[in-house]
Amino acid sequence: MDLMPDKNRIHFLDVFYAYETDEKNYYNIVTISSFILFNVNALIFLPKLAPRSAKKTPEQLWKWRNIANSLIHSILSGFGAMINLLRTPELRYELITAYTLFSWSTLSFSVGYFIYDFIDMAVHQRRPSTYELLIHHILVIICFALAVITKYYQGYALVALLVEVNSIFLHIRQLFIIQGWQKSYIIYKINSYFNLGTFIVFRLFNLCWMICWLVLNQSGLNHLPKYFF
């Protein structure tokens, strides 16, 4: 089966097929829409939904809504990556050349979020520790954007996006802390167990697997178009 990127290829999720005629505009629309939606959510909806315990100071409210937005992204992108990889076997076996419009959409959505979060942190949280996260976001944006633009390495990018499953419980824990929840609360303990379990599976094991895959497949990592070099 030929899995090389091709505009005429029939994609696995036919529900998105109508958008294939103008692919460049499509991923631009998804990325920009994601960026706008996270901003609107942060500025309009989340401040109204924030509990009183998270509104004691403007900084606390900002941190709560920033993490709440991150939680939303983790849920959508983490499970989106899982659905992509489970529903489309080609994305699991051909990490370099396979792609679908759904995988394209998932990665474009994440690019929009990381651009939003980069700007949000750069504007509201100017601390030395923030620069590490900003560098992380820049690298993620570059890697995911390359996968979106070139249609290569989308399977590998989706595997990387699986770490967001662990981030779900990490962000929930952060929200608990901001709201002053005690560690003795049963829901706090349950979340801690899920946080640890998903950390081992979706972050530690997953990242180790990705490194091993790169080492074993380094001879075939030459598929990006020459104009990127």
Side-chain angles (χ1 to χ4, degrees), residues 25 36 56 141 158 161:
N25 286 338
I36 293 174
K56 295 178 181 178
I141 291 169
L158 288 171
L161 205 53

Side-chain angles (χ1 to χ4, degrees), residues 110-126:
S110 284
V111 171
Y113 161 76
F114 281 110
I115 294 174
Y116 146 77
D117 200 44
F118 177 90
I119 296 174
D120 195 36
M121 288 192 298
V123 172
H124 295 98
Q125 194 177 38
R126 298 180 181 178

Side-chain angles (χ1 to χ4, degrees), residues 84-85 88-95 98-100 103 155 158:
N84 269 291
L85 294 169
T88 309
E90 287 82 356
L91 288 169
R92 301 198 302 269
Y93 304 127
E94 296 290 342
L95 299 185
Y99 86 101
T100 68
S103 67
L158 288 171

Side-chain angles (χ1 to χ4, degrees), residues 4-23:
M4 292 297 292
D6 183 357
K7 288 186 177 181
N8 297 319
R9 187 200 310 168
I10 297 177
H11 291 269
F12 302 101
L13 297 180
D14 293 336
V15 67
F16 296 106
Y17 185 74
Y19 295 100
E20 285 189 287
T21 55
D22 196 352
E23 294 178 337

Side-chain angles (χ1 to χ4, degrees), residues 74 78 128 197 201:
S74 294
V201 175

Side-chain angles (χ1 to χ4, degrees), residues 199-229:
F199 173 83
I200 295 172
V201 175
F202 290 99
R203 195 174 292 270
L204 184 61
F205 175 79
N206 193 45
L207 293 177
C208 289
W209 183 90
M210 291 176 67
I211 294 172
C212 291
W213 186 89
L214 284 175
V215 173
L216 295 174
N217 294 273
Q218 56 183 322
S219 60
L221 305 180
N222 58 350
H223 291 273
L224 288 179
K226 293 181 179 179
Y227 55 79
F228 279 103
F229 298 94

Side-chain angles (χ1 to χ4, degrees), residues 106-224:
T106 303
L107 295 173
S108 298
F109 171 80
S110 284
V111 171
Y113 161 76
F114 281 110
I115 294 174
Y116 146 77
D117 200 44
F118 177 90
I119 296 174
D120 195 36
M121 288 192 298
V123 172
H124 295 98
Q125 194 177 38
R126 298 180 181 178
R127 297 177 179 176
S129 59
T130 304
Y131 295 122
E132 297 177 5
L133 287 173
L134 294 179
I135 293 173
H136 165 269
H137 279 28
I138 290 173
L139 294 176
V140 171
I141 291 169
I142 292 173
C143 293
F144 282 12
L146 283 175
V148 168
I149 294 171
T150 66
K151 302 178 190 174
Y152 286 103
Y153 296 97
Q154 291 203 5
Y156 191 79
L158 288 171
V159 174
L161 205 53
L162 287 175
V163 300
E164 293 297 333
V165 176
N166 170 241
S167 295
I168 294 172
F169 303 100
L170 178 63
H171 294 321
I172 291 175
R173 177 179 177 274
Q174 291 174 310
L175 292 176
F176 286 165
I177 293 174
I178 293 174
Q179 295 170 208
W181 287 36
Q182 300 296 321
K183 294 182 179 180
S184 58
Y185 290 176
I186 185 64
I187 191 171
Y188 194 107
K189 292 181 178 180
I190 292 174
N191 183 75
S192 296
Y193 293 137
F194 276 103
N195 189 23
L196 178 60
T198 55
F199 173 83
I200 295 172
V201 175
F202 290 99
R203 195 174 292 270
L204 184 61
F205 175 79
N206 193 45
L207 293 177
C208 289
W209 183 90
M210 291 176 67
I211 294 172
C212 291
W213 186 89
L214 284 175
V215 173
L216 295 174
N217 294 273
Q218 56 183 322
S219 60
L221 305 180
N222 58 350
H223 291 273
L224 288 179

